Amino acid sequence: GAVVSQHPSRVICKSGTSVKIECRSLDFQATTMFWYRQFPKQSLMLMATSNEGSKATYEQGVEKDKFLINHASLTLSTLTVTSAHPEDSSFYICSANPIRNRGTYNEQFFGPGTRLTVL
Amino acid sequence: AQKVTQAQTEISVVEKEDVTLDCVYETRDTTYYLFWYKQPPSGELVFLIRRNSFDEQNEISGRYSWNFQKSTSSFNFTITASQVVDSAVYFCALSEGGGNKLTFGTGTQLKVEL
């Protein structure tokens, strides 16, 4: 089956530092990856859509200069939280769409998530 | 704009009881997909089912069953003979048309006790 990994699974950092989270599709190529954020006891909110080789599309209210997304290859997308603050503490989840034939449903596979704690 | 409502924030049942999780959606598209995911305490999302808007047949998978009714814009999920391992947060989600953006409901926390 299609597997998506995230690294690190858990990170604790000091306020003001930057944190990079990697999302990899291990056994398939993904033209599109999505980044979600989930605050405690809340739903998953889409932050941005990442397309390989082009700029990410951010959802309304998400600061693109704070959450830098790079989709450099068909198997890797990275999310960098710049100058992290305690309010950025959250569970970040990525998902990836395999390359599919036109007309078939494009499944979305989720990574295991990264728990970020900013002190 | 698409929207998913899960009115039940938290449900507690005793093991072996049946439980139904409600999901109501809103969309202007005629082509859309509905999903249910399970999120155990570990946080990883577990895919349970996908249903497209043209297939209103109910589905049963073991102890799980789903009731899709377009007339009421609902996609409810029933667990029969619940078990402690079913304790988790369950999310209903919607994807419109040919896009892949998922809109999640607020989730229902299910607690199954002995």
Side-chain angles (χ1 to χ4, degrees):
Chain A
V3 178
V4 176
S5 71
Q6 281 184 241
H7 178 80
S9 58
R10 187 180 295 266
V11 57
I12 301 173
C13 69
K14 292 183 179 179
S15 186
T17 60
S18 294
V19 175
K20 181 186 284 189
I21 302 170
E22 292 185 348
C23 176
R24 291 183 186 273
S25 54
L26 297 185
D27 49 2
F28 65 95
Q29 292 184 323
T31 52
T32 304
M33 290 184 173
F34 300 89
W35 287 96
Y36 295 85
R37 179 169 54 185
Q38 184 181 29
F39 291 110
K41 297 189 183 298
Q42 293 190 27
S43 187
L44 282 79
M45 300 300 295
L46 180 65
M47 298 175 66
T49 303
S50 165
N51 291 298
E52 187 266 338
S54 64
K55 290 184 178 181
T57 302
Y58 290 81
E59 295 300 301
Q60 195 171 10
V62 177
E63 300 173 58
K64 60 181 180 181
D65 294 331
K66 180 168 184 62
F67 298 99
L68 302 179
I69 293 174
N70 185 295
H71 194 154
S73 77
L74 287 173
T75 59
L76 173 65
S77 176
T78 60
L79 167 68
T80 301
V81 183
T82 61
S83 187
H85 290 283
E87 57 265 30
D88 298 322
S89 298
S90 187
F91 192 55
Y92 292 87
I93 305 174
C94 73
S95 68
N97 283 141
I99 296 172
R100 282 276 192 261
N101 294 328
R102 190 181 286 268
T104 62
Y105 180 77
N106 205 352
E107 194 71 56
Q108 204 173 131
F109 297 94
F110 285 86
T114 296
R115 196 165 301 280
L116 170 64
T117 303
V118 185
L119 302 176
Chain B
Q2 55 192 46
K3 183 180 178 182
V4 177
T5 301
Q6 293 180 256
Q8 303 151 310
T9 306
E10 187 172 318
I11 301 176
S12 289
V13 299
V14 176
E15 205 174 35
K16 297 183 183 177
E17 283 186 14
D18 297 347
V19 58
T20 296
L21 309 182
D22 298 332
C23 173
V24 175
Y25 62 92
E26 292 177 32
T27 178
R28 294 179 182 174
D29 276 18
T30 55
T31 301
Y32 52 90
Y33 296 86
L34 295 163
F35 304 78
W36 276 96
Y37 288 91
K38 175 182 180 180
Q39 188 178 43
S42 64
E44 186 162 359
L45 283 178
V46 178
F47 169 80
L48 297 178
I49 190 171
R50 180 184 77 241
R51 173 68 69 207
N52 74 56
S53 53
F54 300 107
D55 183 2
E56 280 194 78
Q57 279 194 346
N58 292 332
E59 181 156 340
I60 298 175
S61 176
R63 296 184 297 108
Y64 296 170
S65 62
W66 291 270
N67 185 325
F68 177 27
Q69 294 204 355
K70 290 177 75 171
S71 60
T72 56
S73 297
S74 65
F75 187 43
N76 296 338
F77 171 34
T78 297
I79 301 175
T80 303
S82 60
Q83 300 176 1
V84 173
V85 293
D86 295 328
S87 297
V89 179
Y90 291 85
F91 289 98
C92 181
L94 167 69
S95 174
E96 285 179 332
N100 296 106
K101 290 171 60 171
L102 284 172
T103 296
F104 285 85
T106 49
T108 298
Q109 170 81 61
L110 174 64
K111 295 184 178 179
V112 182
E113 300 166 333
L114 293 171

